């Protein structure tokens, strides 16, 4: 679900984890700093101050562009798998319809 939400935001041209342009300009709601890294454990964008907090210090964080690329690749791979599955099902359906005729 989180990946689909991110994909929807990317398709609308938005940044990862940012829903509105106003929030993008503000950055971190708590510290008013730019959102620079993504916490993989929490699935959230973080500013530099939040990144160093106890809540995220031990978590894996990556730069936003790297995360966008990673999730985009995962989504594309899953989409291709779904397309392949759909094609197989359509072939099976067509073969079954021919057999029934």
């Amino acid at each position: 679900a989180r990946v689909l939400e991110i994909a929807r935001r990317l398709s609308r041209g938005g940044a990862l984890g940012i829903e509105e342009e106003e929030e993008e300009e503000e950055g971190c709601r708590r510290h008013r700093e730019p959102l620079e890294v993504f916490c993989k454990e929490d699935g959230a964008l973080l500013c530099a101050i939040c990144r160093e907090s106890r809540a995220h210090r031990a978590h894996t964080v990556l730069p936003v562009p790297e995360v966008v690329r990673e999730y985009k690749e995962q989504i594309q791979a899953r989409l291709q798998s779904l397309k392949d599955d759909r094609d197989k099902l359509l072939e099976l359906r067509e073969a079954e319809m021919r057999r029934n005729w």
Side-chain angles (χ1 to χ4, degrees):
R2 182 78 177 141
V3 171
L4 289 174
E5 180 183 336
I6 292 167
R8 274 188 239 126
R9 288 180 184 157
L10 289 173
S11 69
R12 289 190 306 233
L16 194 62
I18 299 171
E19 294 179 6
E20 300 174 6
E21 287 182 27
E22 293 174 24
E23 289 179 347
E24 186 175 348
E25 292 173 8
E26 290 178 22
C28 177
R29 289 183 182 178
R30 178 185 268 169
H31 304 110
R32 303 283 188 226
E33 294 286 325
L35 301 169
E36 300 172 344
V37 294
F38 182 78
C39 176
K40 290 188 88 168
E41 280 80 353
D42 294 331
L45 286 170
L46 305 174
C47 71
I49 298 169
C50 289
R51 195 287 176 242
E52 295 303 320
S53 70
R54 288 183 191 154
H56 301 283
R57 193 175 299 154
H59 293 175
T60 304
V61 296
L62 297 169
V64 172
E66 186 176 326
V67 173
V68 169
R69 189 184 75 249
E70 182 180 313
Y71 277 116
K72 196 173 187 178
E73 289 170 0
Q74 287 177 10
I75 291 168
Q76 288 174 344
R78 290 178 184 165
L79 180 61
Q80 186 59 47
S81 174
L82 289 171
K83 285 179 181 179
D84 293 344
D85 290 346
R86 182 196 63 197
D87 291 343
K88 288 177 189 176
L89 288 172
L90 289 173
E91 288 175 16
L92 287 172
R93 183 176 133 205
E94 187 176 321
E96 188 64 29
M97 288 176 70
R98 274 192 240 136
R99 192 175 67 112
N100 287 336
W101 280 100

